[in-house]
C-alpha cells in the first residue's frame, strides 16, 4: 500500500488490530462499515435538502411564446373561411 498517507496508514493499523480482537467466525461490517454508511447517509440527506431548496426556488409558470400567439389568430381566420367556402359550393 504505497499510496496511503500516514494518517490513513495509522487508522488502518488501529482498525486491523481491533478486527483481530473480534471473533473470526463472525462476519460483520464492523465499526468502519458503520462509519462509512453513516457518512453516506449524511451526504444523501444533505444532497436531498439542497435539492429541495433549489426546487422550491424554481418558477414553474411558463411564459407564453409570442410567436405562437401571433400565428394562432391566422389559423382561426383560415379555419373559419374554409367551411363557408365549402358551404357555398354545396349550395351552388
Amino acid at each position: 500500500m504505497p499510496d496511503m498517507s500516514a494518517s490513513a496508514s495509522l487508522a488502518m493499523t488501529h482498525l486491523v488490530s481491533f478486527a483481530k480482537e473480534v471473533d473470526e467466525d463472525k462476519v460483520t461490517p464492523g465499526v468502519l462499515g458503520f462509519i462509512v454508511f453513516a457518512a453516506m447517509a449524511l451526504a444523501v440527506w444533505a444532497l436531498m435538502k439542497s435539492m429541495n431548496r433549489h426546487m422550491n426556488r424554481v418558477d414553474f409558470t411558463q411564459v407564453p411564446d409570442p410567436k405562437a400567439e401571433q400565428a394562432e389568430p391566422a389559423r382561426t381566420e383560415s379555419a373559419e373561411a374554409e367551411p363557408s367556402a365549402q358551404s357555398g359550393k354545396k349550395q351552388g
Side-chain angles (χ1 to χ4, degrees):
M1 293 186 243
D3 295 341
M4 293 178 64
S5 66
S7 61
S9 176
L10 181 63
M12 288 301 290
T13 305
H14 288 291
L15 291 174
V16 170
S17 64
F18 177 71
K20 288 182 181 178
E21 296 172 8
V22 178
D23 185 18
E24 292 185 12
D25 293 333
K26 283 186 175 180
V27 178
T28 62
V31 177
L32 181 62
F34 175 75
I35 292 170
V36 169
F37 183 79
M40 289 175 60
L42 285 172
V44 168
W45 177 78
L47 284 171
M48 292 293 288
K49 189 170 181 173
S50 174
M51 183 186 71
N52 192 19
R53 216 176 314 133
H54 282 87
M55 291 299 284
N56 285 336
R57 291 180 186 166
V58 174
D59 184 20
F60 285 107
T61 56
Q62 184 175 0
V63 178
D65 189 16
K67 293 179 185 177
E69 289 178 2
Q70 291 173 358
E72 192 173 308
R75 287 187 208 157
T76 56
E77 290 172 7
S78 63
E80 290 173 359
E82 288 176 13
S84 63
Q86 289 175 357
S87 63
K89 289 180 183 177
K90 288 180 185 177
Q91 292 174 355

